Amino acid sequence: MLTVAVTGATGAQGGATARALLAAGHQVRALTRTPDSPAADALRSLGAQIRHADFDDRASLNAALTGTDSLFAVTTPFGTDTATEVQQGTALIDAAAQARLGHIVFTSAAHADRSTGVPHYQSKHLVEQHLRAVGVPWTVLAPAAFMDNYASGWTLDGLRDGTFAWPMPADRPLTLIPAADIGAFAALALQRRDEFTGHRIDIASDERTPAEMAEVLATAIGLPVAHQEVPLAYVRTRSDDLAAMFEYFITAGLDVDVTGLRREYPEVGWHSFTDWAVAQDWPTLLSQTPKPQ
């Protein structure tokens, strides 16, 4: 039985990884800045240890990691910036190295090790490079585009009006993955350390065009949904980073070997975009008051 420290435990990827490890009978130490949050309470009810930890407080990281075997690490620039993401990711990895952990599984982004020009891919790659340099056994998982984003933000706002607003042409394929599959793959890598150590793996569960996504969403919601291509110029007024990402999706594409992954790792229980869409509570999601943009 492993004792795994999980960062971002109250978020999508960390929460999914924590639940997958708990279901497999391992001990989870859920690291969070909000130990009294409903998400932390939910993990606590499943048997996780909840520990306060802040990437900007090295002492809290040291205390939270003491006595653990492995670490699931996730970083984000959203809410701060890419420089902060690199700083926090580096601090976390250094703390794990000092604690002499036996394995670090870091989630990056598919293609982040290529010349994408996407700021939050580049910041994750810098964290990856630091991880490889510290001498701790490592695995990098690099997820494709998140299915879960289609149930929030501007996409959800558009769906309320029967529009799948997405900044890509209707016929341009995109590889996708839900948080549940990221968590399942991370748990697999943590449990099979020898097999996955030293490997960087792009992961995705499905590949769909925006036109196909609109059809799937329409069926899942039970209402007509039409794809509408959002101009990159509009995205750029909201975020240069996201505009660069969508431009990369359109030009280079986010290719991941979905068929090979499903064949080689069936135990992940991969979810198609249809699987994910029909599992969402659309009546509740669509009835929520849109947040100010």
Side-chain angles (χ1 to χ4, degrees), residues 25-50:
H26 299 287
Q27 291 187 343
V28 169
R29 188 173 297 176
L31 277 53
T32 175
R33 290 180 299 174
T34 56
D36 297 324
S37 67
D41 288 339
L43 288 176
R44 191 179 283 112
S45 71
L46 294 175
Q49 305 170 15
I50 309 298

Side-chain angles (χ1 to χ4, degrees), residues 71 100-105 131 134-139 193 196-198:
L71 169 68
R100 300 184 182 278
L101 296 194
H103 191 200
I104 299 174
V105 172
L131 174 61
V134 296
V136 175
W138 59 269
T139 303
R193 176 186 305 177
F196 286 94
T197 291

Side-chain angles (χ1 to χ4, degrees), residues 58-292:
R58 179 61 180 269
S60 74
L61 291 177
N62 291 342
L65 293 174
T66 298
T68 61
D69 306 309
S70 308
L71 169 68
F72 172 79
V74 58
T75 60
T76 179
F78 302 112
T80 55
D81 52 44
T82 53
T84 301
E85 177 179 26
V86 174
Q87 178 183 331
Q88 292 180 339
T90 298
L92 175 62
I93 289 165
D94 287 345
Q98 182 177 318
R100 300 184 182 278
L101 296 194
H103 191 200
I104 299 174
V105 172
F106 174 65
T107 57
S108 179
H111 291 206
D113 58 340
R114 309 185 192 185
S115 299
T116 63
V118 180
H120 75 275
Y121 283 25
Q122 294 171 323
S123 57
K124 285 178 171 54
H125 189 225
L126 289 173
V127 178
E128 289 185 41
Q129 291 174 312
H130 186 70
L131 174 61
R132 294 171 188 242
V134 296
V136 175
W138 59 269
T139 303
V140 173
L141 303 183
F146 295 167
M147 295 181 191
D148 307 76
N149 288 343
Y150 298 124
S152 64
W154 74 45
T155 307
L156 184 61
D157 291 344
L159 291 175
R160 293 188 178 96
D161 298 321
T163 300
F164 175 51
W166 199 244
M168 292 179 64
D171 60 351
R172 188 69 169 104
L174 179 66
T175 48
L176 307 160
I177 190 167
D181 290 0
I182 300 172
F185 203 109
L188 184 70
L190 286 158
Q191 293 173 96
R192 286 157 49 177
R193 176 186 305 177
D194 292 345
E195 177 182 344
F196 286 94
T197 291
H199 292 281
R200 185 191 192 280
I201 308 171
D202 285 353
I203 57 175
S205 310
D206 201 356
E207 183 174 49
R208 295 280 186 164
T209 66
E212 292 170 338
M213 293 181 221
E215 292 178 6
V216 169
L217 290 167
T219 301
I221 294 170
L223 295 169
V225 174
H227 168 250
Q228 180 181 51
E229 184 175 356
V230 178
L232 285 180
Y234 173 77
V235 179
R236 201 165 283 114
T237 66
R238 316 305 293 270
S239 169
D240 286 335
D241 193 334
L242 292 180
M245 180 184 73
F246 283 111
E247 185 173 13
Y248 183 80
F249 289 172
I250 294 167
T251 55
L254 199 61
D255 66 290
V256 180
D257 185 6
V258 173
T259 301
L261 287 164
R262 285 177 171 269
R263 181 180 60 249
E264 192 164 354
Y265 306 107
E267 53 272 76
V268 170
W270 304 98
H271 294 81
S272 68
F273 187 65
T274 300
D275 295 333
W276 172 84
V278 300
Q280 305 309 302
D281 183 2
W282 292 110
T284 298
L285 289 168
L286 293 170
S287 68
Q288 294 171 353
T289 303
K291 294 181 180 180

